[in-house]
Amino acid sequence: MKNIMKKQKRILTSDRPTGKLHLGHYVGSLKNRVELQNEYETFIMSADVQALTDNFDNPQKVRDNVLEVTMDNLAVGLDPNKVTFFIQSQIPEIAELTVYFMNLVTLARLQRNPTVKDEMQQKGFGNEIPVGFLSYPISQAADILFLKADLVPVGNDQSPMIEQTREIARRFNSLYGHVFDEPEGKFGEVARLVGTDGQAKMSKSLNNAIFLADPKDVVEQKVMNMYTDPSRLHFTDPGNVEGNPLFIYLDAFGSKEDQVQINDYKERYQKGKVGDIEVKQYLANILNRFLNPIRKRRAIYEQQPEVVGKILKEGTKKARMEAKKTLLEVKKAMKLDYFK
Ligand code: TRP
């Protein structure tokens, strides 16, 4: 029976453990992870090696956040009995594969990666770009390909990484024979969630994020301080709904049943017939309703971090077995299989 069953397709995705996950992570990737966990054999990696590429001076932060980020994933409803959680640094085969992939990518190609470009600017590296940082997309390709993942649920800022991974797979196959299929990206419905300050991207480093672990009153406070329509001074002024974070969040987190109310607010907002505060209170309630079950599940794991540690340890063992299998194939293809 078993061998006539088609092999379940695989998901691999990952977060950098540099801080807790926020609503932007949820709409970009976590939501898809939860929805697809039954259909795909799912692996979630804590990308501590990648986190170190721009936090090499703060290993404790990375270490602490491995647990936090794993708890966020569990809190949104990923089932540890189905999903494999593992830690990047504990799979040395990923580093090994990265070295082989380095031959397949030019410096110019790395410098063209738009996400890396943005990040370099944000971090102000200037001419002092660490090689590890510039080349992290190669290592990310190794994260995805060592596991032979079919689908990679990520925010759309990661699409250049998927493209680069596909190029590397293609190049490898053409040089050494077919080992890798090209993975697909799976992007969230909301392409990129704006920050509470109206900036293009919600991000912990921009200090404009609502975290999945934020308590009720913190969410209320963040929503009350949100950027809305700057040209609207009185609630009788007609307001802009388009591009207004208030309404973007309502669209992203309101349920079907909320639609009538949301549309009513949109109309009245545009006519100057409702104040920001009323809409903000409504949004805070919707967000807290969404976050409540997440907080509850998180609290259970927070009380027993050793359970999360065990989930990671067992998952890492399983991922490592897959890594060893792939590396045998890779080394054979590359004529590096000396001592059989
Ligand atoms: N670069 C991703 C981020 O910043 C994290 C990541 C590392 C990742 N390795 C990955 C995502 C492999 C998907 C697949 O969020």
Side-chain angles (χ1 to χ4, degrees):
M1 184 64 195
K2 208 163 187 186
N3 48 7
I4 60 165
M5 261 163 57
K6 214 166 146 245
K7 212 174 150 238
Q8 208 182 13
K9 291 209 170 188
R10 264 192 192 163
I11 276 179
L12 175 286
T13 189
S14 174
D15 311 288
R16 286 187 198 177
T18 54
K20 290 182 176 143
L21 302 183
H22 52 63
L23 295 179
H25 293 113
Y26 184 82
V27 296
S29 177
L30 297 170
K31 187 168 186 233
N32 277 330
R33 298 177 194 183
V34 175
E35 282 170 9
L36 296 171
Q37 64 179 324
N38 295 319
E39 197 181 325
Y40 286 78
E41 187 186 10
T42 299
F43 290 75
I44 311 278
M45 183 180 83
S46 199
D48 58 345
V49 176
Q50 188 175 115
L52 284 168
T53 63
D54 63 334
N55 290 278
F56 47 81
D57 54 349
N58 202 349
Q60 191 62 48
K61 170 171 137 188
V62 173
R63 172 78 184 233
D64 294 341
N65 279 301
V66 166
L67 212 58
E68 296 293 345
V69 161
T70 306
M71 286 198 282
D72 284 328
N73 273 279
L74 291 164
V76 295
L78 287 167
D79 178 351
N81 294 313
K82 289 188 194 131
V83 174
T84 305
F85 290 92
F86 69 99
I87 303 177
Q88 185 183 24
S89 62
Q90 303 310 298
I91 314 285
E93 288 77 9
I94 296 178
E96 204 179 345
L97 196 53
T98 302
V99 171
Y100 302 141
F101 286 170
M102 283 184 162
N103 297 327
L104 314 182
V105 182
T106 65
L107 183 59
R109 177 66 183 87
L110 288 172
Q111 285 167 331
R112 271 203 309 275
N113 185 310
T115 300
V116 175
K117 261 196 202 162
D118 279 358
E119 287 172 326
M120 282 193 311
Q121 216 165 27
Q122 211 186 21
K123 291 173 209 309
F125 283 139
N127 285 327
E128 306 287 313
I129 307 160
V131 173
F133 185 80
L134 186 68
S135 60
Y136 87 73
I138 304 178
S139 149
Q140 187 157 335
D143 299 339
I144 296 168
L145 294 175
F146 96 81
L147 197 75
K148 301 195 170 187
D150 301 285
L151 197 71
V152 188
V154 276
N156 85 338
D157 63 320
Q158 295 297 302
S159 95
M161 309 304 165
I162 308 289
E163 202 39 56
Q164 208 153 9
T165 301
R166 293 168 61 92
E167 279 174 37
I168 290 172
R170 230 175 290 149
R171 192 90 210 285
F172 186 99
N173 292 343
S174 74
L175 287 164
Y176 307 121
H178 188 94
V179 173
F180 299 112
D181 291 333
E182 291 177 36
E184 305 274 346
K186 169 87 182 166
F187 305 103
E189 266 168 46
V190 181
R192 180 173 294 200
L193 195 67
V194 293
T196 53
D197 59 354
Q199 290 213 58
K201 186 181 170 182
M202 185 176 279
S203 150
K204 59 193 164 251
S205 46
L206 296 174
N207 209 6
N208 63 6
I210 295 175
F211 294 94
L212 297 170
D214 277 345
K216 187 165 174 277
D217 55 325
V218 172
V219 171
E220 276 162 9
Q221 198 192 333
K222 285 182 178 176
V223 171
M224 285 305 154
N225 291 328
M226 257 173 82
Y227 169 98
T228 59
D229 176 353
S231 63
R232 197 169 181 249
L233 303 177
H234 308 285
F235 83 84
T236 48
D237 297 342
N240 244 324
V241 162
E242 199 81 8
N244 186 330
L246 262 188
F247 292 97
I248 294 175
Y249 290 9
L250 282 177
D251 284 338
F253 294 98
S255 68
K256 264 204 195 100
E257 294 73 49
D258 300 323
Q259 275 324 304
V260 177
Q261 179 65 72
I262 292 173
N263 287 338
D264 180 56
Y265 275 142
K266 283 183 183 170
E267 264 186 57
R268 283 162 58 201
Y269 198 87
Q270 283 166 321
K271 289 184 186 148
K273 292 207 154 116
V274 66
D276 270 33
I277 299 202
E278 186 180 335
V279 184
K280 282 180 170 176
Q281 264 155 359
Y282 179 70
L283 174 63
N285 286 341
I286 285 191
L287 291 181
N288 277 324
R289 185 189 67 196
F290 164 74
L291 290 170
N292 242 337
I294 297 176
R295 292 186 188 114
K296 278 200 190 123
R297 268 191 298 259
R298 200 178 205 284
I300 296 171
Y301 287 109
E302 278 169 358
Q303 280 157 19
Q304 32 187 352
E306 69 287 351
V307 169
V308 184
K310 197 163 160 241
I311 289 169
L312 282 165
K313 189 172 175 194
E314 281 172 6
T316 300
K317 223 191 263 170
K318 182 171 165 194
R320 180 101 202 259
M321 277 176 3
E322 297 301 315
K324 284 184 175 163
K325 268 197 262 173
T326 303
L327 261 287
L328 276 179
E329 256 185 275
V330 163
K331 287 178 146 176
K332 185 155 183 261
M334 295 182 73
K335 309 210 175 294
L336 299 169
D337 54 338
Y338 295 99
F339 311 118
K340 280 177 231 173

